[in-house]
Amino acid sequence: MRAPFRLIGGVLIATLLTQVTACGTIFYPDRRGQIDGKIDPAIAVLDAVGLLFYIVPGLIAFAVDFATGAIYYAPGETAQVAPEKLKEAIGADGKVDNHKLQTILETELGRSFPLDDPRLIQHKGSAQQLAMFGLQPAA
């Protein structure tokens, strides 16, 4: 009589551990239910760490994250700031003040952007792009 209870208990524990070992499912439960997309490298690396301990936990982590879709980036994550608020970052000479722009982006989006990074590539806009947002060229 004890053997069936141990078997059922073992299966239940294995099932619960399977659900817990998947990093994407733990860290991003809102991503579950996706079918495809770009794979989040941070979650893939964390799942791969399970391969270092034993093969089975790593494979289970990958299987659960792929099956639930939690390993993929969330689709359509965008961040927008109203053009009127961005006007404050444009100086009198028509140039963008990176410090003011960084402050605006941090307050509006809640994220930090390294606008003072020397590797940052800046592209010039056109008058048509400004007109599309209802702005007038200032320079």
Side-chain angles (χ1 to χ4, degrees):
M1 191 68 138
R2 242 170 125 68
F5 287 118
R6 284 189 176 183
L7 180 65
I8 292 171
V11 169
L12 182 64
I13 288 172
T15 304
L16 292 174
L17 285 176
T18 302
Q19 293 297 317
V20 172
T21 58
C23 295
T25 306
I26 294 171
F27 296 136
Y28 301 106
D30 55 320
R31 290 184 182 178
R32 284 187 259 170
Q34 298 182 76
I35 297 171
D36 62 352
K38 291 182 74 173
I39 293 177
D40 187 352
I43 299 301
V45 168
L46 289 172
D47 285 347
V49 168
L51 293 172
L52 295 176
F53 298 110
Y54 292 105
I55 298 295
V56 175
L59 292 178
I60 290 173
F62 274 114
V64 169
D65 279 344
F66 275 110
T68 61
I71 198 166
Y72 301 115
Y73 280 120
E77 282 189 3
T78 60
Q80 296 181 353
V81 178
E84 297 81 30
K85 293 187 180 186
L86 294 175
K87 283 183 183 179
E88 299 170 11
I90 300 173
D93 57 352
K95 295 196 179 213
V96 176
D97 182 8
N98 280 346
H99 183 65
K100 285 183 182 178
L101 179 60
Q102 188 170 8
T103 307
I104 293 169
L105 292 176
E106 284 178 2
T107 57
E108 292 295 316
L109 304 176
R111 294 184 181 170
S112 175
F113 295 97
L115 297 179
D116 54 351
D117 191 337
R119 297 172 291 172
L120 180 69
I121 299 172
Q122 296 182 1
H123 296 280
K124 300 292 181 195
S126 66
Q128 289 84 13
Q129 288 174 328
L130 291 174
M132 189 170 69
F133 291 114
L135 302 172
Q136 297 294 325

